[in-house]
Structure formats: C-alpha cells, structure tokens
Amino acid sequence: MRPLLDMIRRRLAPESGFTMITVMGAMMVVMLLSAVAIAAANGDLEGGARDQETKQALAAAEAGVNDYAYHLNQDNNYWAKCTGVPAPAKVNQPWNGANPAADPRQWRAVPASRSEYAIELLPADWAPNTANPAAEKRCDPANASASMIDKATGTFRIRVTGRVPSGNGDYAQRSVITSFRRKSFLDFLYVTDYETSDPAWYTRLAGGAATVPPIDTWATNNCGYWRDGRGTKRYTGVTSGGQTLTAGCDEIQFADKDRINGPFHTNDSILVCGSPTFGRTIKDKIEVSGPKPGWRDNCGGSNPNFVGTFRAGVPTLALPQSNSSLKTVVDPNYYFTGKTYIQLNGATMTVDNPSMGISGKNMALPPNGVVYVDDGICGQKYNPLDPNGAPAGCGNVYVKGTYSKDLTISAVGDVVLRGSVTKTNDSVLGLIAKQFVRVYHPTKNLDSNSCTNDTTDPYYFKDIQVDAAILALQHSFTVDSYYCGTPLGTLTVNGVIAQRYRGPVGTGNGGGIVTGYIKDYNYDDRLSLRQPPFFLDPVESSWHVSRQIEQTAR
C-alpha cells in the first residue's frame, strides 16, 4: 500500500505546468500594457505638438502687439494713420470673420519662425456685422480720434492674431485684444510742473502793493525748474509805497508726516524734510523729471520713504495752456458766461448766474457730461488778498454737492469749491480750471496780520471731501487765505491733483497744523482705466498698454 501512495505523491508533486501558465499570463498582461502605453504616447505626441503650436501662435500675436507698440512710441500719431502706415508694417481694418476662405487680412512673418501675425484696428464702437459688412465702423484717417478713441477711457484698441501652420493643413491660431492709453495726468495722484509757489502768491510779500518790476511777473520768468537755477535767482524792486523789496524763489517741501497715497509725478525735483512717504505699494510709480538723485534735503539727515518705485530723470508731462477745446464740445444749454454757481444734486444740478439772469434753474446733468464757464466782461486777475472779489463777468464757477453721472466742469477762470463734492455711485468727475482750483475759505481782516475765519459766512465749513480729478492748467490747487485763522480740519481728495505750481492749503509746525487744512490725498485707482468726459491729456505723451485680453481666434 505504501509504494502505491508514494507513487501517487511523486506524480502530484511537480508544479512546472502551473508555473508556465502563470508566466504566459503575466507576459500577456505586460504586452497589453505596452500596447496601451505606446498608443497613449502617440496621442500625447500629437496633442503635445498641437499645444506647442498654440503657444507659438500666442507668441506670434504678442510679437504683433510689440511691433505696433514700437511704431506707436516712435510716432505718437501712428494710430491716426489707420492702415496707411509705412511699409513693411501691415495694419488692417477689422474683419468680422465672414467667409474664412477669403480672409482679407495682410499677415506679417515673425523672423526666424514659421509663425505670422495680422494686426486689426478696432474702432471705439465697432461690432461685427456679417450680414452687412459695409455698415461696420472703420478707422477713418480723416477723423481718427472720433472713430478710434473711446471717450470714456481715452483708449483705442487693436486685435492681433498669431498663427502657425499645423500638420493637417490648418493653422493653430490665438488672438489678443490690446488697449492703448496715453500716459496721462490720471495715472498719478499728484502731478506738478514746478515745485515752487504760484507767482500770484508773491504779491503777498509786498502786502498786496504794486511793485516795480512786478514781482509776480519776475517769479513767472525766473522761478522755473530747480535744475535751471531757481535757487540762485533774486528779485530786487520797489513797492508802490517806496519800500525796497528783495526776495528769492519760494521753496515748498514735503514734510516728515506727509503721505502721497498713490503714484506721483513732478516735472521738477522735490525738496524733503524728514521722511515723507511716497506711494502705497511698489506698484505705484514715483517719478521726478529732475536729474538724479531727484530730491534735496532741507533739514539735514532727511530720508524720504519711497514705498513706490522711484525714478529720476523721466520725461516731463506738459500741461496744456488752455481748456478751450472743451468749449467746442459743450452743449449750448450748458455753456455759461460769468460767475456761475452750481449745486450738484445726483443726476441734476441747480444753477445760478446773475450776469445771465439765471436763478435757481434746475437742469439734468449734461448729456455729454461737459459744463463750460467762459469769461464775460472780466479784466481782473486772481488777487490772493481778495480771492472772491472778481467782477460778475469773470468766468469762475462755484461748485458743491453730489453727482451720480460722469461729469466734467471746466472754467476759463477758477473752479471754486464751496463745500464737499462727492460721488453717489460709480461715477467720475473732472474739475478743470485754466487758472486756479480753490477751496473757498471766508475770512475777516484779510489785509492785516490778524486775519481770522469768518464763521458767519453761510459757506464757511471745516472738513471737506472732494471726489474728483482736479486740473489747474496755469496755476494751482489751493485754499483761499490758507494762512488765516484757526485750523479747518482735513482736506480729503479722492482722485487726482494736477497743477502747474504747488498750491498751499495750510501752515504748520512740528506739532501739527496751525492754519488751513491737514492733507489727506488718496488715488482713485478707477482713473487708471477710465476718465471724466473729455478730460485733457498732456501736450506730448507716449502710449502704453493699459489692458490685454485673449479672444477666440477667427
């Protein structure tokens, strides 16, 4: 019995057959996985090639943007030539995508590449119309500004499409729409041409008396940029009372506790005492046109705190001499002559103008957003010792209240704030004066050394807020009689202040404010992308990219 059991055990013991089956099964699994991997790799190669081509197409589109930007910065009016630009550049009118087989666009090759790009100009109110292409807007070289510039933002747009041939006879394409905007006063919280007092204030040195030669004329002609020798200029003259008068150019400094809460630009150099702060973050541009270092120490050991990115020697931003261009666009119903009083009431305004016989007239805010106040019979310049004594025919506008629509108020004389001017929604306001933008400050005994606040005046106020882009073309943003009386509180400006000369708003000492206002100036970042109606640009300014988005390519 035992031999039989041993024989059965020996026959059952070998496992070679079972091992072979396992090995064959494993090999089959490996082969199947390899096949799947090879198929997947082939798919990835095709997808990877397509991905590479789309990236090359985007790079080609960006090359086209850079090409256009280069020519634009060589010639600020390049955009106004529309498609009539010098060869070898190629620029197209907009294509609506109809009939791809007859694509009318001219393409330009990217050097050392298989890719190419096409540039299209997009008029301000362009929209594709495949049913009637002839009805579409085009860039008009005879009226380029009206056809291309968006009045709300001051921008114009181009579309650039990049493409690369793909292996299937088609193209990989990418399109970007780029908005260009001039460097503007609205790019900065604070802009000055000269970092010195307004020449009109020099008459105070003579107590308001006439001087020979006129000291304000001397200041205009001599107190220019620091780099041009302002610090060495001296005035010598005689007052109408016979007193000898000598003076130098008045210097205004940035003090230790001053803060510029936004981007900053001056065509001059700056004077610093202590550690004033310029900018909120590194993204804020802090620019001076004076040569390096661009700032001077006025009290020993000064160390300005440049939170923003500081640059010296930058190009100047030249202020226009006049705001007369707004006179050509204002609706006749919103054109006034002589002293005008405007109370803003949201979407309406109440107007008084004695010389025109207008009293308490209620009006909607203007359809195109522009109010213009012109001179009638005037003949008088601003007098700092009698700031509101101008005749009724002078084109000054007095403003207060709230606004709820985009608006620009401009005067050939002064814009005077008789209270806070604030927005009630997402709207923007421009205040443009050919002369001064002033904060109303009634006083008593102004012609003496004991002038005080006139608290009985119905428009006497203390704290004031102004939500606006302020532009004083030939003079300053200032406070009437800023050196009189007790402190008035805080002057808050949310927006932009651009002025030819630094305008004083108060006096102080190491302990704080003595007269006038403490400054609280804050940049309105919305103004980097939009502007009040028909707001003025610098006389000469380069274009830069303000926005870029991708669009599905046609």
PDB file of all heavy atoms in Angstrom, residues 347-378:
ATOM      1  N   ALA A 347     -28.235 113.315 -10.176  1.00  0.00           N
ATOM      2  CA  ALA A 347     -28.280 113.343 -11.633  1.00  0.00           C
ATOM      3  C   ALA A 347     -28.730 114.699 -12.173  1.00  0.00           C
ATOM      4  O   ALA A 347     -28.886 114.865 -13.383  1.00  0.00           O
ATOM      5  CB  ALA A 347     -29.209 112.256 -12.155  1.00  0.00           C
ATOM      6  N   THR A 348     -28.946 115.679 -11.291  1.00  0.00           N
ATOM      7  CA  THR A 348     -29.363 117.009 -11.715  1.00  0.00           C
ATOM      8  C   THR A 348     -28.446 118.052 -11.073  1.00  0.00           C
ATOM      9  O   THR A 348     -27.609 117.739 -10.216  1.00  0.00           O
ATOM     10  CB  THR A 348     -30.817 117.306 -11.316  1.00  0.00           C
ATOM     11  OG1 THR A 348     -30.905 117.346  -9.876  1.00  0.00           O
ATOM     12  CG2 THR A 348     -31.760 116.240 -11.858  1.00  0.00           C
ATOM     13  N   MET A 349     -28.647 119.307 -11.489  1.00  0.00           N
ATOM     14  CA  MET A 349     -27.896 120.397 -10.871  1.00  0.00           C
ATOM     15  C   MET A 349     -28.764 121.653 -10.867  1.00  0.00           C
ATOM     16  O   MET A 349     -29.634 121.828 -11.727  1.00  0.00           O
ATOM     17  CB  MET A 349     -26.584 120.646 -11.614  1.00  0.00           C
ATOM     18  CG  MET A 349     -26.731 121.111 -13.047  1.00  0.00           C
ATOM     19  SD  MET A 349     -25.096 121.274 -13.851  1.00  0.00           S
ATOM     20  CE  MET A 349     -25.532 122.205 -15.333  1.00  0.00           C
ATOM     21  N   THR A 350     -28.510 122.501  -9.874  1.00  0.00           N
ATOM     22  CA  THR A 350     -29.197 123.782  -9.772  1.00  0.00           C
ATOM     23  C   THR A 350     -28.186 124.881 -10.074  1.00  0.00           C
ATOM     24  O   THR A 350     -27.099 124.912  -9.485  1.00  0.00           O
ATOM     25  CB  THR A 350     -29.787 123.981  -8.368  1.00  0.00           C
ATOM     26  OG1 THR A 350     -30.656 122.890  -8.058  1.00  0.00           O
ATOM     27  CG2 THR A 350     -30.576 125.279  -8.295  1.00  0.00           C
ATOM     28  N   VAL A 351     -28.545 125.789 -10.987  1.00  0.00           N
ATOM     29  CA  VAL A 351     -27.605 126.777 -11.495  1.00  0.00           C
ATOM     30  C   VAL A 351     -28.101 128.180 -11.197  1.00  0.00           C
ATOM     31  O   VAL A 351     -29.283 128.503 -11.379  1.00  0.00           O
ATOM     32  CB  VAL A 351     -27.410 126.613 -13.026  1.00  0.00           C
ATOM     33  CG1 VAL A 351     -26.420 127.648 -13.549  1.00  0.00           C
ATOM     34  CG2 VAL A 351     -26.940 125.205 -13.350  1.00  0.00           C
ATOM     35  N   ASP A 352     -27.156 129.031 -10.733  1.00  0.00           N
ATOM     36  CA  ASP A 352     -27.393 130.463 -10.593  1.00  0.00           C
ATOM     37  C   ASP A 352     -26.293 131.193 -11.341  1.00  0.00           C
ATOM     38  O   ASP A 352     -25.100 130.863 -11.177  1.00  0.00           O
ATOM     39  CB  ASP A 352     -27.383 130.870  -9.124  1.00  0.00           C
ATOM     40  CG  ASP A 352     -28.567 130.325  -8.353  1.00  0.00           C
ATOM     41  OD1 ASP A 352     -29.623 130.972  -8.363  1.00  0.00           O
ATOM     42  OD2 ASP A 352     -28.432 129.248  -7.745  1.00  0.00           O
ATOM     43  N   ASN A 353     -26.675 132.205 -12.125  1.00  0.00           N
ATOM     44  CA  ASN A 353     -25.705 133.015 -12.853  1.00  0.00           C
ATOM     45  C   ASN A 353     -26.289 134.418 -12.982  1.00  0.00           C
ATOM     46  O   ASN A 353     -27.104 134.683 -13.869  1.00  0.00           O
ATOM     47  CB  ASN A 353     -25.420 132.409 -14.230  1.00  0.00           C
ATOM     48  CG  ASN A 353     -24.379 133.181 -15.008  1.00  0.00           C
ATOM     49  OD1 ASN A 353     -24.545 134.375 -15.253  1.00  0.00           O
ATOM     50  ND2 ASN A 353     -23.303 132.517 -15.394  1.00  0.00           N
ATOM     51  N   PRO A 354     -25.907 135.345 -12.075  1.00  0.00           N
ATOM     52  CA  PRO A 354     -26.509 136.684 -12.076  1.00  0.00           C
ATOM     53  C   PRO A 354     -26.362 137.426 -13.393  1.00  0.00           C
ATOM     54  O   PRO A 354     -27.305 138.101 -13.846  1.00  0.00           O
ATOM     55  CB  PRO A 354     -25.762 137.395 -10.939  1.00  0.00           C
ATOM     56  CG  PRO A 354     -25.294 136.290 -10.044  1.00  0.00           C
ATOM     57  CD  PRO A 354     -24.974 135.147 -10.963  1.00  0.00           C
ATOM     58  N   SER A 355     -25.168 137.338 -14.024  1.00  0.00           N
ATOM     59  CA  SER A 355     -24.956 138.126 -15.242  1.00  0.00           C
ATOM     60  C   SER A 355     -25.785 137.606 -16.413  1.00  0.00           C
ATOM     61  O   SER A 355     -26.042 138.341 -17.367  1.00  0.00           O
ATOM     62  CB  SER A 355     -23.477 138.137 -15.616  1.00  0.00           C
ATOM     63  OG  SER A 355     -23.006 136.833 -15.894  1.00  0.00           O
ATOM     64  N   MET A 356     -26.233 136.348 -16.357  1.00  0.00           N
ATOM     65  CA  MET A 356     -27.085 135.790 -17.405  1.00  0.00           C
ATOM     66  C   MET A 356     -28.553 135.771 -16.998  1.00  0.00           C
ATOM     67  O   MET A 356     -29.402 135.285 -17.748  1.00  0.00           O
ATOM     68  CB  MET A 356     -26.625 134.367 -17.768  1.00  0.00           C
ATOM     69  CG  MET A 356     -25.248 134.282 -18.393  1.00  0.00           C
ATOM     70  SD  MET A 356     -24.748 132.570 -18.779  1.00  0.00           S
ATOM     71  CE  MET A 356     -25.888 132.164 -20.121  1.00  0.00           C
ATOM     72  N   GLY A 357     -28.847 136.283 -15.801  1.00  0.00           N
ATOM     73  CA  GLY A 357     -30.227 136.310 -15.327  1.00  0.00           C
ATOM     74  C   GLY A 357     -30.776 134.942 -14.966  1.00  0.00           C
ATOM     75  O   GLY A 357     -31.998 134.733 -15.003  1.00  0.00           O
ATOM     76  N   ILE A 358     -29.894 134.001 -14.596  1.00  0.00           N
ATOM     77  CA  ILE A 358     -30.327 132.655 -14.237  1.00  0.00           C
ATOM     78  C   ILE A 358     -30.355 132.544 -12.716  1.00  0.00           C
ATOM     79  O   ILE A 358     -29.373 132.849 -12.038  1.00  0.00           O
ATOM     80  CB  ILE A 358     -29.373 131.586 -14.814  1.00  0.00           C
ATOM     81  CG1 ILE A 358     -29.345 131.664 -16.333  1.00  0.00           C
ATOM     82  CG2 ILE A 358     -29.769 130.203 -14.350  1.00  0.00           C
ATOM     83  CD1 ILE A 358     -28.311 130.754 -16.973  1.00  0.00           C
ATOM     84  N   SER A 359     -31.504 132.093 -12.180  1.00  0.00           N
ATOM     85  CA  SER A 359     -31.648 131.967 -10.738  1.00  0.00           C
ATOM     86  C   SER A 359     -32.369 130.663 -10.401  1.00  0.00           C
ATOM     87  O   SER A 359     -33.518 130.460 -10.824  1.00  0.00           O
ATOM     88  CB  SER A 359     -32.431 133.150 -10.168  1.00  0.00           C
ATOM     89  OG  SER A 359     -32.621 133.002  -8.777  1.00  0.00           O
ATOM     90  N   GLY A 360     -31.692 129.783  -9.694  1.00  0.00           N
ATOM     91  CA  GLY A 360     -32.313 128.540  -9.231  1.00  0.00           C
ATOM     92  C   GLY A 360     -32.797 127.640 -10.350  1.00  0.00           C
ATOM     93  O   GLY A 360     -33.805 126.947 -10.193  1.00  0.00           O
ATOM     94  N   LYS A 361     -32.099 127.600 -11.470  1.00  0.00           N
ATOM     95  CA  LYS A 361     -32.525 126.788 -12.610  1.00  0.00           C
ATOM     96  C   LYS A 361     -32.129 125.327 -12.396  1.00  0.00           C
ATOM     97  O   LYS A 361     -30.943 125.016 -12.228  1.00  0.00           O
ATOM     98  CB  LYS A 361     -31.896 127.307 -13.895  1.00  0.00           C
ATOM     99  CG  LYS A 361     -32.340 126.555 -15.144  1.00  0.00           C
ATOM    100  CD  LYS A 361     -31.739 127.168 -16.404  1.00  0.00           C
ATOM    101  CE  LYS A 361     -32.206 126.451 -17.657  1.00  0.00           C
ATOM    102  NZ  LYS A 361     -31.646 127.064 -18.891  1.00  0.00           N
ATOM    103  N   ASN A 362     -33.109 124.442 -12.396  1.00  0.00           N
ATOM    104  CA  ASN A 362     -32.850 123.011 -12.233  1.00  0.00           C
ATOM    105  C   ASN A 362     -32.650 122.368 -13.597  1.00  0.00           C
ATOM    106  O   ASN A 362     -33.483 122.534 -14.503  1.00  0.00           O
ATOM    107  CB  ASN A 362     -34.005 122.320 -11.502  1.00  0.00           C
ATOM    108  CG  ASN A 362     -34.127 122.781 -10.059  1.00  0.00           C
ATOM    109  OD1 ASN A 362     -33.121 122.884  -9.360  1.00  0.00           O
ATOM    110  ND2 ASN A 362     -35.338 123.077  -9.626  1.00  0.00           N
ATOM    111  N   MET A 363     -31.547 121.627 -13.757  1.00  0.00           N
ATOM    112  CA  MET A 363     -31.204 121.020 -15.034  1.00  0.00           C
ATOM    113  C   MET A 363     -30.684 119.614 -14.788  1.00  0.00           C
ATOM    114  O   MET A 363     -30.049 119.330 -13.759  1.00  0.00           O
ATOM    115  CB  MET A 363     -30.095 121.825 -15.741  1.00  0.00           C
ATOM    116  CG  MET A 363     -30.355 123.298 -15.880  1.00  0.00           C
ATOM    117  SD  MET A 363     -28.920 124.182 -16.564  1.00  0.00           S
ATOM    118  CE  MET A 363     -28.869 123.526 -18.242  1.00  0.00           C
ATOM    119  N   ALA A 364     -30.955 118.723 -15.747  1.00  0.00           N
ATOM    120  CA  ALA A 364     -30.294 117.419 -15.730  1.00  0.00           C
ATOM    121  C   ALA A 364     -28.815 117.628 -16.004  1.00  0.00           C
ATOM    122  O   ALA A 364     -28.423 118.618 -16.638  1.00  0.00           O
ATOM    123  CB  ALA A 364     -30.905 116.499 -16.783  1.00  0.00           C
ATOM    124  N   LEU A 365     -27.983 116.729 -15.513  1.00  0.00           N
ATOM    125  CA  LEU A 365     -26.571 116.820 -15.877  1.00  0.00           C
ATOM    126  C   LEU A 365     -26.440 116.677 -17.391  1.00  0.00           C
ATOM    127  O   LEU A 365     -27.245 115.997 -18.029  1.00  0.00           O
ATOM    128  CB  LEU A 365     -25.764 115.732 -15.160  1.00  0.00           C
ATOM    129  CG  LEU A 365     -25.690 115.853 -13.633  1.00  0.00           C
ATOM    130  CD1 LEU A 365     -24.740 114.804 -13.073  1.00  0.00           C
ATOM    131  CD2 LEU A 365     -25.270 117.237 -13.190  1.00  0.00           C
ATOM    132  N   PRO A 366     -25.452 117.325 -18.007  1.00  0.00           N
ATOM    133  CA  PRO A 366     -25.385 117.378 -19.472  1.00  0.00           C
ATOM    134  C   PRO A 366     -25.269 116.007 -20.119  1.00  0.00           C
ATOM    135  O   PRO A 366     -24.599 115.109 -19.570  1.00  0.00           O
ATOM    136  CB  PRO A 366     -24.125 118.213 -19.737  1.00  0.00           C
ATOM    137  CG  PRO A 366     -23.354 118.179 -18.461  1.00  0.00           C
ATOM    138  CD  PRO A 366     -24.350 118.044 -17.369  1.00  0.00           C
ATOM    139  N   PRO A 367     -25.904 115.815 -21.281  1.00  0.00           N
ATOM    140  CA  PRO A 367     -25.862 114.509 -21.955  1.00  0.00           C
ATOM    141  C   PRO A 367     -24.449 114.029 -22.255  1.00  0.00           C
ATOM    142  O   PRO A 367     -24.145 112.847 -22.123  1.00  0.00           O
ATOM    143  CB  PRO A 367     -26.660 114.758 -23.248  1.00  0.00           C
ATOM    144  CG  PRO A 367     -27.547 115.917 -22.938  1.00  0.00           C
ATOM    145  CD  PRO A 367     -26.776 116.775 -21.986  1.00  0.00           C
ATOM    146  N   ASN A 368     -23.565 114.941 -22.693  1.00  0.00           N
ATOM    147  CA  ASN A 368     -22.191 114.514 -22.989  1.00  0.00           C
ATOM    148  C   ASN A 368     -21.249 114.730 -21.811  1.00  0.00           C
ATOM    149  O   ASN A 368     -20.045 114.515 -21.913  1.00  0.00           O
ATOM    150  CB  ASN A 368     -21.649 115.218 -24.236  1.00  0.00           C
ATOM    151  CG  ASN A 368     -21.327 116.690 -23.996  1.00  0.00           C
ATOM    152  OD1 ASN A 368     -21.719 117.270 -22.982  1.00  0.00           O
ATOM    153  ND2 ASN A 368     -20.625 117.300 -24.930  1.00  0.00           N
ATOM    154  N   GLY A 369     -21.799 115.190 -20.678  1.00  0.00           N
ATOM    155  CA  GLY A 369     -21.027 115.268 -19.448  1.00  0.00           C
ATOM    156  C   GLY A 369     -20.170 116.497 -19.280  1.00  0.00           C
ATOM    157  O   GLY A 369     -19.350 116.550 -18.359  1.00  0.00           O
ATOM    158  N   VAL A 370     -20.334 117.568 -20.105  1.00  0.00           N
ATOM    159  CA  VAL A 370     -19.449 118.732 -20.038  1.00  0.00           C
ATOM    160  C   VAL A 370     -20.233 119.997 -19.692  1.00  0.00           C
ATOM    161  O   VAL A 370     -21.246 120.306 -20.323  1.00  0.00           O
ATOM    162  CB  VAL A 370     -18.695 118.941 -21.372  1.00  0.00           C
ATOM    163  CG1 VAL A 370     -17.851 120.225 -21.317  1.00  0.00           C
ATOM    164  CG2 VAL A 370     -17.814 117.744 -21.676  1.00  0.00           C
ATOM    165  N   VAL A 371     -19.744 120.720 -18.682  1.00  0.00           N
ATOM    166  CA  VAL A 371     -20.204 122.070 -18.349  1.00  0.00           C
ATOM    167  C   VAL A 371     -19.020 123.007 -18.561  1.00  0.00           C
ATOM    168  O   VAL A 371     -17.905 122.713 -18.106  1.00  0.00           O
ATOM    169  CB  VAL A 371     -20.688 122.159 -16.889  1.00  0.00           C
ATOM    170  CG1 VAL A 371     -21.032 123.601 -16.530  1.00  0.00           C
ATOM    171  CG2 VAL A 371     -21.883 121.245 -16.651  1.00  0.00           C
ATOM    172  N   TYR A 372     -19.240 124.136 -19.227  1.00  0.00           N
ATOM    173  CA  TYR A 372     -18.137 125.071 -19.506  1.00  0.00           C
ATOM    174  C   TYR A 372     -18.564 126.477 -19.120  1.00  0.00           C
ATOM    175  O   TYR A 372     -19.636 126.952 -19.511  1.00  0.00           O
ATOM    176  CB  TYR A 372     -17.769 125.028 -20.989  1.00  0.00           C
ATOM    177  CG  TYR A 372     -16.487 125.766 -21.321  1.00  0.00           C
ATOM    178  CD1 TYR A 372     -15.257 125.159 -21.140  1.00  0.00           C
ATOM    179  CD2 TYR A 372     -16.520 127.078 -21.801  1.00  0.00           C
ATOM    180  CE1 TYR A 372     -14.070 125.833 -21.444  1.00  0.00           C
ATOM    181  CE2 TYR A 372     -15.350 127.755 -22.106  1.00  0.00           C
ATOM    182  CZ  TYR A 372     -14.128 127.124 -21.925  1.00  0.00           C
ATOM    183  OH  TYR A 372     -12.956 127.775 -22.219  1.00  0.00           O
ATOM    184  N   VAL A 373     -17.695 127.150 -18.342  1.00  0.00           N
ATOM    185  CA  VAL A 373     -17.961 128.523 -17.899  1.00  0.00           C
ATOM    186  C   VAL A 373     -16.905 129.434 -18.498  1.00  0.00           C
ATOM    187  O   VAL A 373     -15.708 129.278 -18.240  1.00  0.00           O
ATOM    188  CB  VAL A 373     -17.963 128.606 -16.363  1.00  0.00           C
ATOM    189  CG1 VAL A 373     -18.208 130.045 -15.920  1.00  0.00           C
ATOM    190  CG2 VAL A 373     -19.022 127.675 -15.774  1.00  0.00           C
ATOM    191  N   ASP A 374     -17.353 130.414 -19.281  1.00  0.00           N
ATOM    192  CA  ASP A 374     -16.464 131.302 -20.025  1.00  0.00           C
ATOM    193  C   ASP A 374     -16.493 132.706 -19.407  1.00  0.00           C
ATOM    194  O   ASP A 374     -17.380 133.035 -18.614  1.00  0.00           O
ATOM    195  CB  ASP A 374     -16.926 131.360 -21.480  1.00  0.00           C
ATOM    196  CG  ASP A 374     -15.813 131.707 -22.450  1.00  0.00           C
ATOM    197  OD1 ASP A 374     -14.721 132.095 -21.992  1.00  0.00           O
ATOM    198  OD2 ASP A 374     -16.041 131.577 -23.666  1.00  0.00           O
ATOM    199  N   ASP A 375     -15.503 133.512 -19.789  1.00  0.00           N
ATOM    200  CA  ASP A 375     -15.484 134.915 -19.371  1.00  0.00           C
ATOM    201  C   ASP A 375     -16.547 135.712 -20.104  1.00  0.00           C
ATOM    202  O   ASP A 375     -16.805 135.491 -21.301  1.00  0.00           O
ATOM    203  CB  ASP A 375     -14.121 135.549 -19.675  1.00  0.00           C
ATOM    204  CG  ASP A 375     -13.125 135.382 -18.549  1.00  0.00           C
ATOM    205  OD1 ASP A 375     -13.544 135.103 -17.409  1.00  0.00           O
ATOM    206  OD2 ASP A 375     -11.908 135.534 -18.802  1.00  0.00           O
ATOM    207  N   GLY A 376     -17.149 136.654 -19.372  1.00  0.00           N
ATOM    208  CA  GLY A 376     -17.898 137.725 -19.996  1.00  0.00           C
ATOM    209  C   GLY A 376     -16.982 138.936 -19.988  1.00  0.00           C
ATOM    210  O   GLY A 376     -15.876 138.896 -20.497  1.00  0.00           O
ATOM    211  N   ILE A 377     -17.422 140.000 -19.324  1.00  0.00           N
ATOM    212  CA  ILE A 377     -16.566 141.171 -19.127  1.00  0.00           C
ATOM    213  C   ILE A 377     -15.866 140.994 -17.788  1.00  0.00           C
ATOM    214  O   ILE A 377     -16.496 140.988 -16.733  1.00  0.00           O
ATOM    215  CB  ILE A 377     -17.392 142.466 -19.154  1.00  0.00           C
ATOM    216  CG1 ILE A 377     -18.096 142.612 -20.508  1.00  0.00           C
ATOM    217  CG2 ILE A 377     -16.514 143.675 -18.884  1.00  0.00           C
ATOM    218  CD1 ILE A 377     -19.054 143.794 -20.571  1.00  0.00           C
ATOM    219  N   CYS A 378     -14.557 140.826 -17.838  1.00  0.00           N
ATOM    220  CA  CYS A 378     -13.830 140.487 -16.616  1.00  0.00           C
ATOM    221  C   CYS A 378     -12.693 141.476 -16.383  1.00  0.00           C
ATOM    222  O   CYS A 378     -12.833 142.445 -15.655  1.00  0.00           O
ATOM    223  CB  CYS A 378     -13.311 139.054 -16.692  1.00  0.00           C
ATOM    224  SG  CYS A 378     -12.423 138.517 -15.222  1.00  0.00           S
TER     225      CYS A 378
END
